Amino acid sequence: MGTGTGDDLKSRAQALLERSISPDAEFRPQQWEAINRLVDRNQRLLLVQRTGWGKSTVYFIATKLLREQGAGPTLIVSPLLSLMRNQIQDAENQLGLNAWTINSNNTEDWDEAREAVVNGECDILLISPERLANTEFRENILLEMDDEFGLLVVDEAHCISDWGHDFRPDYRRIRRILQNFPDHIPVAATTATANDRVVDDITDQVPNLHTIRGELVRDSLHIQTIELDSRAERMAWVAENIGGFEHAGIIYCLTTGEVETVAAWLQNTGYDVEPYHGGMDGDRRQALEARLMDNDVDALVATNALGMGFNKPDLGWVIHYQRPPNLIRYYQEIGRAGRDLDESYAVLLSGDEDDRIAKYFIENAFPDPEDFHAVLTTLENSDEQLYKYELLKRVDVAWKAATTCLNILRVENAIIKGENGFERTSKDWSYDHDRIESVTQHRWDELERIQEFVATDECLTRFIDDELDGSLDTNCGQCANCAGDFVPRSVQNHDLVDDAVEHYREEAASEISARYYMPEENGRSKISESRKPEDGRVLCTYGDPGWGARVKAQRGSDQYDDNLVDAAVEQIKTWDPSPAPEWVTAIPTRENSDQVSSLADRIADELGLPYLNILEQTEEIQPQHELANSYQKRWNIDGSMDTNGPVMSEPVLLIDDIVDSRWTLTEASMVLRDDGSGTVHPFALAEVEMSL
């Protein structure tokens, strides 16, 4: 049916709003304007509105109105599966829209989703930007549709900008699609995090895009920043203070390891919290989101995997256990709080490791030009298509860097992906130094701004609004810098700090999983049970507030102190490896240092076992940390050790101080087992955190 005149359209839109929100609901400023321009005027809009403003309300109601006019379904391109889940629920529950999603986690639904789209039964189809590159999706769905899409929605549209494309390179496909999109199909590009520079960049790239921009800062949100260098102090502070907040909240950490550690600490101190991060499977994450939505937990301790699109109107507070790398991300994450509350709170804790983590992300956002050259040259010189793992065997490029290279090169049509891997196209391609240097410099500028934010005595709300090029021209009167602190700036019970340090020490001990497969030029082979080591143990994470800080401080000195030796011995006794080791040896030490052999000798003495310095390095190798991927590290260490005397046939405890790829321990084990030793049990003081 048609919706008739403009007044009829607005009346129908108001009825849909009341149906989806409440009988007394009113459109927020600019919502009806956006709906009208999409439905009645078929415009292309860039909606820059704060989190919780109701961007999804706009395109859901616009979809319903367009479908009632006989238009095709709405295609929503969205970067996160959690966003898709929430949107599907909202569309179906509030407006009776038939929504489907096609993504890598629901392959069992693809056929049914395809039929719904092709047969015109689907009102909304949600996809990730990567799906646009999928030939099967284009041929089996897009080309099979009887009608065009009625509306295109691009969520998190700041990713179209060159300033944001490193988040998801496939967003650059959307730019090209929009440049060739039929003029009569309306477009809603939405974001909460675009400042003037990003808005200008997007509108320069996408023709005829009209911007509707609103107030960006939520009035209900009280913000405070606190500097506590020690992570143990921050952990104690969180335990002291989250019980004073009403409603459930989110505690954000920068790494998955920190999420697990902080969650376990709070559970031990009596709080009902759960960890949440991208390493969990989709069902587990969905169950945790539901528990938070239902106020069935005090909080989730999360990475930014719990971010865009998560909509809990009564989320009471957000605490950042570590400082994010920029104010845009910080604004986005605190925007989870207080959407339908009169009072909500955001506390930013920051400390000494925050800059290190931020610099890691900045420096690793783009592969080096040499990485791109290596990938392209290898594909050019190959007579066959190569999968990523085959490529990594031939080039010293990190797995993550190779993934980024392949994504960017594929988006820019320098390579294609076939049935048997990637291959080079005939298109010329060159590394865009100017653009990447510009983006990287912008990241450094963003880091400097959030450092200033933590230290400023100015209005915190206005500081964020200025960064987003908002319109706030007076101080907010409610942040801690305006109205005074609403939480303490320091830990009151210092015994909690000692408890937190001990918690780090207890939680950091973990398993060193044995490697099962050996990479080879033409595949891989299983390592024989008679050669490989058993699963081992590690005392801590390098640099953590427990034993890790001590390992970091003492590594490279004459020897590790007695406290570390005692802690190692205690951990080995707790581990109680079986069959029990009857002698001890050490990994050949770097730069002819005796630090590791001394460590192993002292551990052996306290365990009452003989120590044999039986392994030696037979050839010079490149330091393992300088090599980028696991294949190169394996081949670097291959054949570099031997024994210098008779090997005891009983089980052995193999000691190192630092472990990362595990290839050094694997090679040492194979040498020992080949020369007649018994079972090999690896132990190291610290592992390098690999999950930044």
Side-chain angles (χ1 to χ4, degrees):
M1 71 178 206
T3 53
T5 67
D7 288 341
D8 291 338
L9 186 69
K10 186 171 184 179
S11 176
R12 177 62 179 146
Q14 178 64 37
L16 292 171
L17 178 71
E18 293 171 6
R19 173 179 168 183
S20 62
I21 306 296
S22 69
D24 58 351
E26 296 290 340
F27 282 113
R28 288 175 173 150
Q30 300 177 311
Q31 280 185 323
W32 160 244
E33 175 192 353
I35 292 169
N36 187 48
R37 290 169 70 171
L38 290 170
V39 177
D40 193 47
R41 297 159 64 181
N42 295 338
Q43 287 193 349
R44 296 182 171 194
L45 303 181
L46 174 61
L47 299 177
V48 184
Q49 301 287 352
R50 67 189 180 200
T51 55
W53 172 81
K55 295 181 283 293
S56 62
T57 296
V58 167
Y59 53 73
F60 284 164
I61 291 179
T63 295
K64 190 73 172 178
L65 293 172
L66 287 165
R67 291 291 279 166
E68 290 177 348
Q69 292 178 350
T74 289
L75 177 65
I76 301 178
V77 183
S78 171
L80 293 180
L81 297 183
S82 61
L83 177 59
M84 291 182 178
R85 288 196 296 269
N86 285 336
Q87 295 222 4
I88 287 173
Q89 281 184 337
D90 290 344
E92 293 177 341
N93 295 340
Q94 296 172 0
L95 293 172
L97 292 168
N98 184 16
W100 290 86
T101 180
I102 294 178
N103 61 72
S104 57
N105 287 339
N106 74 335
T107 54
E108 69 280 1
D109 297 333
W110 285 8
D111 288 342
E112 195 173 355
R114 176 191 174 279
E115 290 301 316
V117 175
V118 171
N119 294 336
E121 298 165 359
C122 170
D123 297 315
I124 294 176
L125 178 64
L126 297 101
I127 64 169
S128 69
E130 288 78 10
R131 193 59 45 191
L132 295 171
N134 185 279
T135 302
E136 184 179 356
F137 174 77
R138 294 198 302 267
E139 292 179 352
N140 292 344
I141 294 183
L142 298 187
L143 297 180
E144 291 293 322
M145 293 174 59
D146 290 334
D147 299 312
E148 299 172 306
F149 284 105
L151 170 66
L152 173 65
V153 176
V154 181
D155 235 350
E156 306 305 328
H158 55 276
C159 297
I160 294 174
S161 167
D162 279 345
W163 297 100
H165 93 275
D166 53 309
F167 173 69
R168 292 290 265 271
D170 278 274
Y171 260 82
R172 302 184 73 191
R173 295 184 190 278
I174 299 173
R175 176 187 62 183
R176 291 201 293 269
I177 289 171
L178 287 172
Q179 288 172 340
N180 298 299
F181 212 57
D183 291 337
H184 63 276
I185 298 179
V187 174
T190 71
T191 181
T193 55
N195 55 19
D196 287 346
R197 179 187 56 253
V198 174
V199 168
D200 290 344
D201 192 27
I202 294 172
T203 53
D204 283 346
Q205 294 184 64
V206 180
N208 302 317
L209 196 62
H210 305 278
T211 302
I212 297 181
R213 191 168 187 170
E215 298 293 334
L216 298 178
V217 180
R218 183 173 295 114
D219 294 338
S220 66
L221 193 58
H222 302 260
I223 305 171
Q224 183 172 337
T225 65
I226 300 173
E227 294 185 74
L228 292 170
D229 276 347
S230 161
R231 277 179 278 175
E233 282 186 276
R234 274 175 268 160
M235 210 147 65
W237 186 96
V238 171
E240 275 192 337
N241 288 281
I242 64 172
F245 291 115
E246 294 184 26
H247 307 284
I250 298 173
I251 301 165
Y252 279 113
C253 301
L254 293 178
T255 69
T256 58
E258 214 68 63
V259 163
E260 295 285 356
T261 300
V262 173
W265 159 255
L266 291 173
Q267 289 168 354
N268 291 345
T269 52
Y271 291 103
D272 186 0
V273 304
E274 295 287 348
Y276 180 108
H277 53 74
M280 297 174 169
D281 65 51
D283 290 343
R284 175 61 177 157
R285 288 166 63 179
Q286 190 169 357
L288 290 171
E289 291 168 20
R291 289 192 65 193
L292 182 59
M293 291 291 292
D294 294 340
N295 296 310
D296 190 36
V297 290
D298 296 325
L300 293 184
V301 184
T303 63
N304 68 333
L306 181 66
M308 290 182 290
F310 181 75
N311 182 15
K312 176 175 169 60
D314 63 340
L315 191 80
W317 50 274
V318 170
I319 291 173
H320 280 79
Y321 177 74
Q322 294 160 304
R323 189 195 67 216
N326 57 67
L327 276 169
I328 301 294
R329 175 166 155 184
Y330 179 66
Y331 164 78
Q332 189 174 63
E333 290 170 356
I334 65 174
R336 311 272 77 78
R339 295 185 175 188
D340 278 349
L341 295 174
D342 294 333
E343 302 287 338
S344 58
Y345 301 90
V347 181
L348 172 58
L349 306 178
S350 61
D352 55 6
E353 83 281 2
D354 298 344
D355 282 341
R356 175 183 62 83
I357 296 173
K359 290 173 182 176
Y360 171 88
F361 283 120
I362 293 170
E363 291 169 353
N364 290 276
F366 295 102
D368 294 332
E370 295 77 15
D371 293 341
F372 281 101
H373 177 74
V375 169
L376 278 176
T377 301
T378 302
L379 291 176
E380 283 175 354
N381 294 336
S382 175
D383 294 331
E384 56 189 5
Q385 295 176 341
L386 298 176
Y387 291 110
K388 182 163 57 179
Y389 78 89
E390 295 173 315
L391 181 68
L392 289 171
K393 290 178 181 179
R394 307 184 188 195
V395 296
D396 185 28
V397 177
W399 182 273
K400 180 179 178 182
T403 300
T404 303
C405 284
L406 292 170
N407 285 343
I408 290 175
L409 292 169
R410 190 179 174 200
V411 166
E412 297 183 357
N413 295 324
I415 64 174
I416 59 172
K417 187 175 183 180
E419 291 184 1
N420 298 305
F422 297 95
E423 66 177 88
R424 183 71 165 96
T425 67
S426 59
K427 181 180 179 181
D428 290 335
W429 188 88
S430 61
Y431 185 86
D432 193 338
H433 286 273
D434 291 343
R435 179 172 61 83
I436 290 176
E437 286 177 7
S438 177
V439 172
T440 302
Q441 182 57 51
H442 176 58
R443 297 288 183 261
W444 290 115
D445 293 342
E446 287 181 327
L447 176 57
E448 183 176 337
R449 286 292 286 163
I450 198 166
Q451 290 168 336
E452 294 171 359
F453 174 72
V454 169
T456 189
D457 57 4
E458 300 172 4
C459 172
L460 296 170
T461 306
R462 191 171 178 182
F463 196 107
I464 295 172
D465 191 72
D466 288 345
E467 183 71 3
L468 293 164
D469 296 312
S471 57
L472 188 65
D473 56 7
T474 60
N475 292 344
C476 72
Q478 63 190 29
C479 73
N481 286 3
C482 288
D485 296 344
F486 52 84
V487 288
R489 288 188 170 272
S490 60
V491 177
Q492 308 303 302
N493 178 4
H494 291 282
D495 289 342
L496 269 177
V497 179
D498 296 334
D499 293 343
V501 170
E502 187 58 34
H503 175 77
Y504 264 105
R505 290 176 177 175
E506 293 173 356
E507 287 290 311
S510 61
E511 185 176 276
I512 305 172
S513 298
R515 288 194 171 275
Y516 281 80
Y517 294 96
M518 184 75 68
E520 297 174 348
E521 291 294 339
N522 296 313
R524 64 179 186 175
S525 62
K526 193 170 184 179
I527 302 173
S528 168
E529 289 293 327
S530 64
R531 302 186 76 209
K532 76 177 186 67
E534 298 299 298
D535 293 338
R537 292 293 185 277
V538 66
L539 178 65
C540 63
T541 300
Y542 190 70
D544 73 30
W547 295 117
R550 193 171 295 220
V551 174
K552 182 178 180 180
Q554 295 177 21
R555 191 177 190 223
S557 63
D558 291 336
Q559 64 177 17
Y560 291 107
D561 68 22
D562 290 341
N563 289 326
L564 275 174
V565 173
D566 291 343
V569 170
E570 185 64 30
Q571 178 59 34
I572 292 166
K573 289 180 178 178
T574 301
W575 168 26
D576 191 21
S578 179
E582 296 187 30
W583 60 290
V584 179
T585 193
I587 293 292
T589 52
R590 62 193 183 280
E591 301 174 357
N592 298 316
S593 166
D594 292 330
Q595 190 176 22
V596 175
S597 59
S598 171
L599 170 70
D601 193 5
R602 293 156 67 201
I603 288 174
D605 186 60
E606 290 207 27
L607 290 172
L609 299 175
Y611 170 68
L612 274 67
N613 192 13
I614 200 72
L615 287 167
E616 64 180 8
Q617 190 169 305
T618 57
E619 60 182 62
E620 197 69 26
I621 62 169
Q622 187 174 349
Q624 289 285 74
H625 70 269
E626 294 180 2
L627 294 164
N629 69 59
S630 184
Y631 299 104
Q632 307 302 319
K633 290 182 180 185
R634 167 60 203 143
W635 292 322
N636 179 56
I637 203 75
D638 187 21
S640 66
M641 296 182 206
D642 203 350
T643 55
N644 57 21
V647 172
M648 293 178 65
S649 61
E650 292 79 13
V652 58
L653 184 66
L654 175 63
I655 303 291
D656 202 355
D657 57 351
I658 306 295
V659 60
D660 53 12
S661 70
R662 296 165 287 155
W663 281 122
T664 301
L665 292 173
T666 303
E667 175 70 12
S669 172
M670 291 191 296
V671 169
L672 290 169
R673 296 301 301 270
D674 288 348
D675 277 13
S677 86
T679 302
V680 177
H681 299 289
F683 178 84
L685 288 181
E687 64 178 339
V688 177
E689 185 170 28
M690 304 297 287
S691 56
L692 282 176

